């Protein structure tokens, strides 16, 4: 088996080197009629026409689809093996089974005071580069990302090869005898010297929604018609996976978490329930998310207290809010309104940065719009004005995408001005970074995909087309 080709996976391939006929730009003439019908059915012909004729939408569509096609082509051309079985033999999980998924705890490092480095010690907010010594995490995310972008490529161009490669990747990771992953995350977020993974490892699977989106997009393709057992076999895999989650003490801890871990646990679980056709359970879980996820995490001014206590507080506030918006998209498709839910104001005991003793912190009283507005407002200001300790970068592109989505959802008068200020701050920050080279904590400013157009279509369709991937 070939090793993972990191160059092929990270966008380092020059498109001009290839003459394989894969599409590179959006061509309105070749836009599949089937995809056009889906857009109209999911969004409504009138709403879709209004959005498509918006000058901002027209300007960003070509750039967005061109980006999608670049990513789809990179994914299609990558012939590396994506599998848990290619992990180094020195990094096998405690079970010794190469088919058991394994990832390493992000913020745990070798103990500098012991000869063998055990027990590992935690440095919150400081990722250990040893994580990349086990490829399972990175490759699992590659499966989801590649499938998502190749499906988008198929949607906008009808290129059959994208669908064929998606089917190949899904079978390779989940189903093929020699390369499959066992349906559990027992060794996710493993700390060396321990026998089991941690609750945090459950998050490794949350982006599975992207693969499910992809399979929905290509369900009418010849590649899917040629594999009638693919969906039933994959449903059996995820049925077993949910059975493991429901019995796992680690997963129970993650389900109970009140921060981004709990948010993304619910995003993941609902995605799988939907894929399995267990919609009543998904609806009940979305209803439970009102208090468990939204109400308990957003303060009345829009701050997210469970995230602002972290050393990289702006990043985690952004990350959690992305999950809450994704969860709200899911809930809306089940008739549950999380967008406008406001939880009761309460006081929770937390241990804040730099304080030895826990203190009572106010939570509740804010909506998702309040939270987006809060991050967008501070994102448009100088970094020094953020009222919490923060050692991380600011993902302003992601905040901007959330602000644009919020404008579509809430239609509040303040959004155009706030978005304009945030756009100006992003341009200013990117120009400054480009002028002096990236420094510590600055890389996230430039990162982010120019697919806001596609993201907004996902929101307009209430996630019945696709989710906003990032």
């Amino acid at each position: 088996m070939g090793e993972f080709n990191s160059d092929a996976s990270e966008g380092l391939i020059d498109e001009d080197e290839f003459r394989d006929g894969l599409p590179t730009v959006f061509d309105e003439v070749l836009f599949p009629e089937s995809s056009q019908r889906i857009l109209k059915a999911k969004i409504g012909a009138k709403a879709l026409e209004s959005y498509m004729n918006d000058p901002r939408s027209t300007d960003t569509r070509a750039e967005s689809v061109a980006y999608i096609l670049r990513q789809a082509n990179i994914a299609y051309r990558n012939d590396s093996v994506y599998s848990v079985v290619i992990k180094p033999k020195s990094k096998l999980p405690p079970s010794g089974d190469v088919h058991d998924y394994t990832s390493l705890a992000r913020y745990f490092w070798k103990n500098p005071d012991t000869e063998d480095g055990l027990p590992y010690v935690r440095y919150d907010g400081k990722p250990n580069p040893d994580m990349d010594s086990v490829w399972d995490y990175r490759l699992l995310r590659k499966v989801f990302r590649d499938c998502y972008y190749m499906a988008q490529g198929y949607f906008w161009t009808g290129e059959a090869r994208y669908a064929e490669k998606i089917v190949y990747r899904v079978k390779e990771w989940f189903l093929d005898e020699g390369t499959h992953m066992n349906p559990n995350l027992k060794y996710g977020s493993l700390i060396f010297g321990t026998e089991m993974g941690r609750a945090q490892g459950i998050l490794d699977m949350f982006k599975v929604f992207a693969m499910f989106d992809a399979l929905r997009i290509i369900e009418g393709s010849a590649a899917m018609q040629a594999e009638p057992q693919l969906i039933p076999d994959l449903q059996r895999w995820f049925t077993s996976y949910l059975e493991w989650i429901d019995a796992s003490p680690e997963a129970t801890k993650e389900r109970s978490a009140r921060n981004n871990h709990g948010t993304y646990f619910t995003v993941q679980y609902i995605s799988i329930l939907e894929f399995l056709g267990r919609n009543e359970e998904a609806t009940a879980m979305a209803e439970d998310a009102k208090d468990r996820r939204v109400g308990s995490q957003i303060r009345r001014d829009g701050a997210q207290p469970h995230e602002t206590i972290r050393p990289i507080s702006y990043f985690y506030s952004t990350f959690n809010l992305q999950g809450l918006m994704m969860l709200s998209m899911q809930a809306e498709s089940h008739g549950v309104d999380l967008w406008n839910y406001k939880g009761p104001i309460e006081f929770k005991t937390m241990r804040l940065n730099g304080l030895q003793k826990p203190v009572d912190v106010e939570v509740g009283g804010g909506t998702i719009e309040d939270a987006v507005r809060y991050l967008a407002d501070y994102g448009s200001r100088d970094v020094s004005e953020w009222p919490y300790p923060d050692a991380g970068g600011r993902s302003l592109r992601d905040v901007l995408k959330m602000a644009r989505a919020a404008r579509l959802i809430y239609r509040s008068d303040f959004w155009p001005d706030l978005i304009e200020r945030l756009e100006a701050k992003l341009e200013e920050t990117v120009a400054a970074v480009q002028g002096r080279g990236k420094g510590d904590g600055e890389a996230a400013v430039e990162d982010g995909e120019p697919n806001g157009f596609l993201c907004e279509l996902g929101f307009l369709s209430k996630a019945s087309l696709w989710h906003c991937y990032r």
Side-chain angles (χ1 to χ4, degrees):
M1 293 182 181
E3 291 191 354
F4 175 50
N5 183 344
S6 60
D7 287 348
S9 72
E10 298 300 330
L12 303 180
I13 295 176
D14 184 354
E15 187 75 47
D16 294 336
E17 294 180 4
F18 293 89
R19 298 292 183 270
D20 52 15
L22 289 175
T24 58
V25 295
F26 176 65
D27 188 336
E28 189 105 38
V29 176
L30 300 178
F31 184 26
E33 290 187 9
S34 59
S35 297
Q36 296 181 51
R37 289 195 298 270
I38 291 172
L39 277 173
K40 290 178 182 177
K42 299 295 187 182
I43 296 175
K46 187 175 181 180
L48 180 63
E49 181 180 4
S50 174
Y51 180 72
M52 290 295 199
N53 289 333
D54 184 315
R56 183 177 53 82
S57 169
T58 303
D59 291 342
T60 59
R61 180 178 59 187
E63 178 189 11
S64 296
V65 177
Y67 176 85
I68 288 292
L69 294 177
R70 286 196 299 274
Q71 302 309 310
N73 294 346
I74 291 168
Y76 177 81
R77 292 168 181 148
N78 191 339
D79 291 328
S80 303
V81 174
Y82 291 3
S83 171
V84 293
V85 304
I86 64 173
K87 63 173 68 70
K89 287 184 169 52
S90 62
K91 304 294 184 181
L92 290 179
S95 67
D97 187 346
V98 71
H99 291 280
D100 277 336
Y101 174 91
T102 309
S103 65
L104 304 185
R106 180 176 298 273
Y107 300 130
F108 281 80
W109 294 67
K110 288 182 179 180
N111 192 327
D113 299 324
T114 62
E115 187 174 343
D116 61 1
L118 301 178
Y120 271 46
V121 291
R122 177 180 170 87
Y123 297 111
D124 192 16
K126 186 179 179 183
N128 187 342
D130 282 353
M131 284 181 63
D132 282 339
S133 65
V134 179
W135 306 322
D136 293 8
Y137 173 84
R138 189 176 179 187
L139 289 176
L140 178 62
R141 293 302 178 89
K142 280 292 297 172
V143 172
F144 298 155
R145 189 179 194 276
D146 285 8
C147 286
Y148 181 83
Y149 284 119
M150 286 190 289
Q152 292 278 6
Y154 176 84
F155 183 88
W156 294 97
T157 69
E159 174 56 64
R161 284 176 286 179
Y162 295 143
E164 293 168 1
K165 191 62 172 279
I166 290 169
V167 170
Y168 174 84
R169 285 301 189 201
V170 171
K171 291 175 64 178
E172 179 183 47
W173 188 271
F174 290 98
L175 302 174
D176 287 349
E177 182 177 356
T179 56
H180 73 273
M181 168 187 165
N182 289 334
N184 66 72
L185 291 172
K186 288 188 293 186
Y187 306 108
S189 195
L190 181 71
I191 302 172
F192 283 126
T194 62
E195 291 301 312
M196 294 295 293
R198 302 186 307 141
Q200 291 84 343
I202 309 300
L203 254 66
D204 290 6
M205 185 68 77
F206 90 81
K207 287 195 174 183
V208 68
F209 68 81
M211 184 182 74
F212 295 151
D213 287 346
L215 291 171
R216 284 201 301 269
I217 291 172
I218 68 167
E219 63 183 354
S221 67
M224 288 291 282
Q225 293 170 7
E227 294 281 353
Q229 279 301 117
L230 178 66
I231 296 301
D233 288 347
L234 196 60
Q235 287 176 328
R236 277 190 288 274
W237 195 99
F238 277 99
T239 297
S240 296
Y241 175 71
L242 283 193
E243 289 172 353
W244 172 79
I245 280 185
D246 290 340
S248 165
E250 288 75 25
T252 298
K253 293 176 185 176
E254 203 71 348
R255 188 196 298 265
S256 301
R258 291 288 181 172
N259 62 355
N260 64 83
H261 288 267
T263 298
Y264 283 104
F265 177 92
T266 303
V267 167
Q268 175 186 163
Y269 205 102
I270 288 180
S271 298
I272 297 171
L273 289 175
E274 290 172 339
F275 177 66
L276 297 178
R278 292 159 56 175
N279 291 319
E280 290 185 6
E281 294 174 70
T283 301
M285 199 167 198
E287 187 70 34
D288 180 66
K290 285 181 177 178
D291 286 319
R292 184 181 291 270
R293 303 305 176 211
V294 178
S296 64
Q297 294 198 73
I298 303 174
R299 202 169 63 194
R300 51 185 158 179
D301 64 354
Q304 301 169 66
H306 296 282
E307 309 305 332
T308 55
I309 65 173
R310 301 294 296 274
I312 45 178
S313 55
Y314 194 92
F315 166 81
Y316 273 110
S317 295
T318 302
F319 178 59
N320 185 56
L321 188 52
Q322 287 174 306
L324 290 176
M325 294 186 79
M326 191 175 303
L327 181 55
S328 298
M329 293 171 71
Q330 292 175 316
E332 190 172 11
S333 68
H334 293 279
V336 178
D337 181 13
L338 298 184
W339 295 115
N340 298 294
Y341 185 75
K342 185 181 295 186
I345 297 173
E346 302 174 315
F347 286 87
K348 298 291 184 182
T349 302
M350 299 183 194
R351 189 180 298 278
L352 301 183
N353 291 320
L355 297 181
Q356 295 298 318
K357 294 183 179 180
V359 296
D360 288 337
V361 176
E362 180 185 303
V363 300
T367 66
I368 286 175
E369 183 178 31
D370 294 327
V372 180
R373 184 179 186 178
Y374 189 85
L375 283 182
D377 180 42
Y378 277 105
S380 68
R381 304 188 203 178
D382 187 80
V383 174
S384 62
E385 295 186 50
W386 178 246
Y388 301 98
D390 192 17
R394 301 196 298 174
S395 305
L396 294 186
R397 288 194 192 277
D398 289 337
V399 175
L400 179 58
K401 277 198 285 190
M402 289 192 290
R404 288 171 173 167
R407 176 171 60 182
L408 289 174
I409 295 159
Y410 294 103
R411 309 286 180 179
S412 301
D413 292 340
F414 60 79
W415 281 116
D417 176 67
L418 182 51
I419 288 172
E420 185 176 342
R421 288 195 286 118
L422 187 58
E423 289 173 334
K425 187 64 177 179
L426 176 61
E427 291 178 5
E428 171 193 321
T429 307
V430 170
V433 171
Q434 290 175 338
R436 65 177 180 270
K438 292 180 182 179
D440 292 340
E442 293 176 332
V445 174
E446 287 192 286
D447 294 342
E449 303 157 357
N451 63 348
F453 165 79
L454 302 170
C455 182
E456 289 169 18
L457 287 180
F459 278 104
L460 286 171
S461 73
K462 302 178 176 60
S464 57
L465 275 173
W466 51 70
H467 294 76
C468 185
Y469 181 71
R470 286 176 67 89

